[in-house]
Every structure is written in structure tokens, then in C-alpha cells.
Amino acid sequence: ETARGAIRSATVAEGSARMVALVREAPGEGLAAAEPALRALPPEERARVADVVRVYNRGNQVNLQVLTAVRRIIASGAPDGAAERPAPDTKASAPTVAVTAMPPLPRMDALPDAVRAEVSALAALHDPSDPVVPSLYRHLALWPDLLPPLRDALSPLFAEGRVAALRDSLLGVAEESAAALLPRLTPPGPFPAEHRDAVLRVLAIFPGKLIAEMAAVGLLLDAELSRAGS
């Protein structure tokens, strides 16, 4: 209810475009180590992988911006502009993008042991102590030959702090978008004080870390898929 007026705004569309450009222009070779595995896929399968990755990327980019704005309202304890009708967004918003039907998300317990281990190893790059497995990695288990080269490509980027640097840059874009989105948010009233700390902790873990890291990973993978298909 709070975010309804912001999700399809031009501000979010522009922020998403900035995130894509930021990752595309980042120094380094990206996920070049995974390119041979991507090129080895039949073109139709590579296109299916690209569709899945882009769906996640669109969701992560929107969530980063909108949830950052929502977090600000919850942290303030006030309904920031809720009494005012948001000004119309005079800029064109992003067009609706046709989304290919997503393949079913496999359950971890249904994966073969070796594939489940690869998915878990990818998740552990983000935080070895956290059992959360990002859904993108589970979806990529439908193409199990991609998982080891993807882990080989990502491991040094995590170890060298490059994923963390991209995460922080993407969060910087999200914070700028959030400032512009606040007048468009329409919370129904002050957030319940007794739930504020717990919800802010969740928002710090997910948008503030995991979603931002997965946005970086997904955009790196999208760039590599584009190169592999060229």
C-alpha cells in the first residue's frame, strides 16, 4: 500500500537504468570465466537463462529503490507525506516489459546432491554463516553445468571485495532514488512502534545486503550473457 504509487514511477525506471550502467561500466573482466560455459549452451537455452536472469534483475532493482524508501519512513516513525497527495510524475515511466513464463523454481531438497552442493556453495559466497539461498541460484540449478564456472568466476570477485563495492554503489543509487520517492509514498499511517526494530533489521539484511549483492551478481551475469550471445 505504501509503495503502490512509486513502483512504476520514472524515478524507479531511471534508477534501474543507472544501476545497469554502473555495473556494465565497472572495471575488471566481470564474469569472463563463466563465458565458455554460457557459449556452450544451445542458443535457445542461453536465451532461457537470460530471461530468468533479467526477471530477477528487474525485481532486484525495483526492490532496492522502493524498499530503501519504505525503510526511511519506518525508521522515522512518521508517515512522511502521507497526508499529501503525491505530485504526478510528469516523466514517462518505464514501459511494461513482456516477461517469458518463468520455469518452476526447483526445491533444494529435490536437487541431486552434487547440484544442491553447488547451489549452497554459491549462497555461501555471500555469508557462510547464513543458510538463506538466493532464488536466482536455485533457478540456475536448472542448468547445472553453469554452476561450477559461475562459482569460479564469482569467488575472486567476493574475495577481492568487488561484489561488496558494487553492492555499495547500487545502494548509493537506491538511496538517491529513495529521497526522490518519499513524496510519492502513501503509508496508511505511522508504522507500529513495537515492530519497528524487527522490521528494520530485516530490511538491513535483505535490501541492505543480500538483494543488493544479488543485483550486482545478476547484472554481471546479464552482461556476460550478452557477450556470450554476440
Side-chain angles (χ1 to χ4, degrees), residues 91-114:
K91 300 178 184 177
S93 62
T96 302
V97 179
V99 177
T100 304
M102 289 278 278
L105 180 65
R107 301 195 331 265
M108 284 290 282
D109 60 7
L111 295 174
D113 290 347

Side-chain angles (χ1 to χ4, degrees), residues 7 29 38 41 44 52 66 78 82 126-127 182 195 201 206:
I7 289 173
E29 297 181 354
L38 294 171
L41 288 172
E44 64 276 11
V52 168
V66 173
H126 298 268
D127 185 348
L182 285 176
H195 299 305
R201 279 196 298 273
F206 285 92

Side-chain angles (χ1 to χ4, degrees), residues 2-73:
T2 297
R4 186 182 297 128
I7 289 173
R8 286 193 47 77
S9 67
T11 297
V12 169
E14 290 164 1
S16 296
R18 288 175 60 200
M19 290 179 179
V20 173
L22 187 153
V23 174
R24 291 285 179 113
E25 295 165 6
E29 297 181 354
L31 301 181
E35 186 177 351
L38 294 171
R39 284 191 181 275
L41 288 172
E44 64 276 11
E45 288 302 305
R46 190 164 58 243
R48 290 182 68 213
V49 174
D51 284 341
V52 168
V53 170
R54 286 165 191 157
V55 168
Y56 277 97
N57 287 351
R58 284 194 293 273
N60 285 334
Q61 291 156 22
V62 171
N63 287 338
L64 275 183
Q65 297 172 81
V66 173
L67 290 177
T68 298
V70 171
R71 187 203 71 222
R72 287 191 180 190
I73 286 182

